[in-house]
């Protein structure tokens, strides 16, 4: 904007200077030439009036030459040509006059309608030629047939106007420089508040809701700054209100989850006893006992998930990290849940990394359980090391701590996969792509409900499992990504930085 403003100032100044120069040159040249023409005509008319009275008509060649010389002496020794019918005489016998007195001028003077003049260019030099018919002094002022032409050089006038043009042209440069300086000053005055407003806007965009700009004056920029401050005030107020409501909601969830744990423990104990004795009960009572046990277990898992999410929100989660063999961790997670025969594992051996084993187990349980519950066999789990991938938290470029190496765990299935809109929200809390299908069977032909918990029973998940898995991955400095296989099926990819030293979080 500064450049455009300066260029505009300079262009306007340049156009103004050139226009003023052209007008000044035209007016000055016209004035100089007009003055010279008037003086030449008046001088010739007065001198001819004095000298012509003593000329006898018709003149001979000698008389005509003397007449031309006397007229020339009286008007500043200009070249004078006197003509009478076929006779012609010049005040300067060595001067060439034919090229300077045109046929048009001769015809106009011969017509006897007063003094006539004409500017001509001869051999690269400008000249003014004035022609005058000599008339009798009687009442009808008839022409005598005697014609007088005076040739005046315009070199001095040309040099004067050229010098004026040069001086005006030389003044254009200071004018343009001055315009550029004024443009810079004006740009600084105008753009300084704009830069301050832009800086405040960037600060506001990065989360500094206390950013404000000083309001000075009463112009449009001041109104803009005032509007920005009012917008920032409203945004800060809304943000504070939203944060307060969010904090209240988190405290409420944490408090409710905590309060539910005690009665749930008692309910779980009773449900376990009922399930153990279900075979001895009537069929309807046995079915009711097993249903109570399953629903109590699901409610217990939901409370545990809510407690875990609350700890993440409160930033109260810490890693208990140690050097861990990831292949053994994945195998143990599958064996613990009885999934070894249902999952094809391709695990790179000897991959030791500093991780929290319990949290990695939670991630694996959620990813594999999700694939088993909503996908179709075969379900595969692959563990590898990516030495060239340099990605940070949340999938952004970053790099691992050991030369940019990453641990990559892929969980894939061959089910229907996920629609694009589901992939965008699969890690959202409580998001379920097809709640009715998940509640009834746990498998189906529609979109997968990939936000469920890690339990492999047919009941509906809490919708928090994938969110918890992602939070645990981020806690390690990694991320989880979801994609679609070319032939169908979803692929969840866990990426963790490969830290092999004795370090923790």
């Amino acid at each position: 904007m500064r450049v455009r403003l300066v260029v505009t100032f300079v262009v306007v100044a340049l156009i103004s200077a050139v226009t003023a120069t052209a007008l000044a040159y035209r007016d000055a040249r016209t004035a100089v030439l007009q003055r010279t023409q008037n003086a030449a005509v008046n001088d010739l008319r007065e001198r001819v009036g004095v000298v012509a009275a003593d000329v006898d008509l018709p003149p001979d060649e000698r008389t005509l030459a003397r007449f031309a010389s006397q007229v020339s002496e009286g008007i500043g020794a200009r070249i004078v040509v006197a003509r009478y019918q076929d006779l012609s005489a010049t005040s300067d016998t060595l001067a060439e006059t034919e090229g300077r007195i045109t046929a048009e001028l001769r015809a106009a003077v011969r017509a006897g309608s007063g003094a006539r003049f004409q500017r001509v260019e001869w051999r690269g030099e400008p000249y003014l030629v004035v022609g005058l018919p000599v008339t009798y002094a009687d009442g009808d002022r008839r022409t005598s047939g005697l014609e007088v032409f005076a040739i005046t050089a315009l070199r001095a006038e040309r040099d004067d106007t050229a010098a004026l043009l040069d001086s005006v042209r030389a003044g254009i440069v200071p004018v343009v420089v001055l315009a550029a300086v004024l443009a810079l000053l004006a740009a600084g005055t105008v753009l300084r508040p704009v830069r301050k407003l832009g800086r405040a806007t960037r600060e506001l965009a990065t989360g500094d809701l206390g950013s404000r700009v000083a309001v000075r004056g009463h112009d449009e920029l001041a109104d803009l700054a005032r509007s920005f401050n009012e917008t920032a005030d409203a945004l800060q107020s809304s943000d504070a209100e939203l944060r307060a409501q969010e904090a209240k909601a988190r405290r409420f969830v944490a408090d409710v989850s905590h309060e539910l744990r005690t009665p749930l423990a008692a309910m779980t104990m009773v449900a376990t006893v009922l399930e153990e004795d279900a075979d001895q009960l009537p069929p309807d009572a046995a079915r009711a006992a097993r249903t109570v046990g399953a629903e109590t277990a699901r409610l217990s898992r939901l409370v545990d998930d809510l407690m875990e999410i609350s700890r993440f929100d409160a930033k109260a989660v810490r890693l208990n990290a140690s050097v861990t063999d990831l292949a053994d961790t994945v195998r143990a997670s599958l064996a613990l849940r009885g999934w070894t025969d249902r999952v094809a594992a391709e695990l790179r051996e000897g991959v030791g990394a500093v991780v929290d084993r319990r949290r990695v187990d939670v991630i694996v349980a959620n990813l594999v359980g999700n694939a088993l519950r909503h996908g179709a066999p075969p379900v595969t789990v692959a563990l590898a090391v990516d030495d060239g991938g340099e990605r940070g938290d949340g999938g952004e470029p970053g790099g691992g701590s050991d030369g940019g190496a990453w641990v990559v765990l892929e969980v894939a299935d061959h089910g229907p996969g996920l629609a694009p809109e589901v992939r965008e929200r699969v890690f959202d809390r409580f998001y379920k792509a097809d709640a009715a299908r998940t509640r009834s069977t746990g498998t189906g032909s529609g979109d997968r409900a990939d936000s469920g918990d890690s339990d492999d029973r047919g009941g509906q998940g809490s919708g928090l499992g994938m969110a918890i898995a992602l939070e645990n991955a981020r806690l390690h400095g990694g991320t989880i990504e979801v994609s679609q296989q070319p032939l169908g099926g979803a692929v969840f990819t866990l990426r963790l930085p490969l830290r092999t030293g004795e370090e923790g979080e």
Side-chain angles (χ1 to χ4, degrees):
M1 190 173 184
R2 178 189 296 272
V3 174
R4 291 199 298 268
L5 190 59
V6 171
V7 170
T8 301
F9 263 75
V10 170
V11 170
V12 170
L14 186 60
I15 293 175
S16 301
V18 170
T19 303
T21 300
L23 294 176
Y25 174 74
R26 186 195 66 180
D27 293 344
R29 182 173 180 273
T30 301
V32 170
L33 293 177
Q34 189 68 42
R35 185 176 65 249
T36 301
Q37 291 167 184
N38 293 339
V41 171
N42 292 334
D43 290 347
L44 180 61
R45 182 180 288 117
E46 291 176 1
R47 186 58 182 169
V48 168
V50 173
V51 177
D54 298 330
V55 176
D56 296 330
L57 296 176
D60 55 18
E61 188 172 348
R62 184 176 180 180
T63 301
L64 202 60
R66 185 173 63 250
F67 172 71
S69 298
Q70 290 175 348
V71 173
S72 176
E73 292 173 357
I75 60 175
R78 300 188 183 101
I79 299 175
V80 175
V81 178
R83 298 176 63 89
Y84 185 82
Q85 296 181 359
D86 294 335
L87 295 178
S88 177
T90 306
S91 61
D92 185 355
T93 57
L94 300 179
E96 183 180 347
T97 61
E98 290 300 321
R100 285 178 273 189
I101 303 176
T102 64
E104 293 83 3
L105 182 60
R106 289 196 193 101
V109 173
R110 189 174 295 117
S113 56
R116 291 290 183 269
F117 61 86
Q118 187 178 37
R119 289 193 296 271
V120 297
E121 190 83 15
W122 186 71
R123 294 182 180 178
E125 295 292 335
Y127 292 91
L128 174 65
V129 182
V130 181
L132 182 69
V134 178
T135 60
Y136 290 105
D138 54 6
D140 58 5
R141 301 189 66 81
R142 292 177 296 107
T143 59
S144 63
L146 182 63
E147 301 168 359
V148 182
F149 297 90
I151 301 174
T152 304
L154 296 178
R155 182 184 302 170
E157 286 75 8
R158 180 195 63 186
D159 294 343
D160 290 342
T161 55
L164 176 63
L165 180 62
D166 292 340
S167 62
V168 175
R169 187 182 297 154
I172 292 178
V173 175
V175 168
V176 172
V177 172
L178 179 60
V181 172
L182 293 177
L184 288 172
L185 294 176
T189 302
V190 173
L191 298 181
R192 189 177 299 112
V194 175
R195 286 196 301 271
K196 291 181 179 178
L197 185 61
R199 184 167 54 250
T201 302
R202 288 190 295 271
E203 293 173 354
L204 193 67
T206 57
D208 184 8
L209 300 182
S211 178
R212 299 292 186 275
V213 292
V215 180
R216 295 186 176 89
H218 302 280
D219 55 7
E220 290 81 359
L221 290 175
D223 292 340
L224 182 60
R226 194 174 296 107
S227 299
F228 172 82
N229 290 341
E230 292 173 356
T231 303
D233 289 338
L235 184 60
Q236 189 174 28
S237 176
S238 299
D239 179 74
E241 183 178 352
L242 288 174
R243 288 179 183 274
Q245 293 177 356
E246 184 180 9
K248 290 179 181 178
R250 289 175 178 174
R251 284 196 300 271
F252 174 78
V253 171
D255 293 343
V256 168
S257 301
H258 185 270
E259 293 298 326
L260 286 175
R261 299 193 75 171
T262 300
L264 268 176
M267 292 171 60
T268 301
M269 182 176 61
V270 172
T272 302
V273 172
L274 289 175
E275 282 189 292
E276 290 176 352
D277 297 336
D279 294 337
Q280 302 175 11
L281 298 175
D284 292 342
R287 188 180 306 108
R290 293 189 180 94
T291 301
V292 169
E295 292 301 318
T296 302
R298 193 171 75 85
L299 181 60
S300 179
R301 288 195 306 276
L302 175 59
V303 171
D304 290 340
D305 288 345
L306 288 173
M307 292 292 294
E308 185 74 356
I309 285 292
S310 299
R311 284 192 288 269
F312 278 114
D313 291 340
K315 309 296 182 184
V317 179
R318 295 292 181 269
L319 286 178
N320 183 19
S322 61
V323 178
T324 303
D325 188 311
L326 294 178
D328 289 344
T329 301
V330 173
R331 275 192 292 266
S333 180
L334 297 177
L336 178 63
R337 294 162 179 83
W339 294 340
T340 303
D341 296 335
R342 302 173 60 187
V343 176
E346 301 175 4
L347 307 178
R348 176 173 171 174
E349 300 295 338
V351 180
V354 178
V355 296
D356 188 326
R357 184 184 181 98
R358 183 184 70 83
R359 296 191 179 279
V360 171
D361 174 75
V362 171
I363 297 173
V364 173
N366 277 287
L367 295 182
V368 176
N370 185 70
L372 291 172
R373 186 166 55 253
H374 303 296
V379 175
T380 61
V381 178
L383 176 67
V385 175
D386 182 4
D387 294 327
E390 295 189 358
R391 303 169 65 87
D393 182 23
E396 298 297 331
S401 59
D402 289 348
W406 291 82
V407 176
V408 180
L409 180 71
E410 288 188 352
V411 178
D413 65 73
H414 293 74
L418 298 97
E421 62 273 13
V422 176
R423 289 199 297 268
E424 293 178 359
R425 300 189 57 192
V426 70
F427 295 105
D428 292 351
R429 298 177 184 182
F430 300 105
Y431 176 72
K432 300 171 185 177
D434 190 349
R437 175 183 56 77
T438 307
R439 181 187 300 275
S440 59
T441 63
T443 59
S445 59
D447 293 333
R448 289 171 45 185
D450 283 357
S451 293
D453 54 38
S454 60
D455 191 270
D456 192 34
R457 303 184 185 185
Q460 183 185 9
S462 66
L464 294 173
M466 299 306 290
I468 292 174
L470 180 60
E471 292 292 347
N472 279 300
R474 287 174 174 172
L475 195 62
H476 284 84
T479 187
I480 301 177
E481 301 168 349
V482 60
S483 60
Q484 190 86 346
Q485 294 193 90
L487 299 179
V491 179
F492 285 83
T493 304
L494 167 67
R495 301 177 64 91
L496 299 178
L498 181 59
R499 300 184 178 93
T500 58
E502 294 294 334
E503 55 181 298
E505 292 290 335

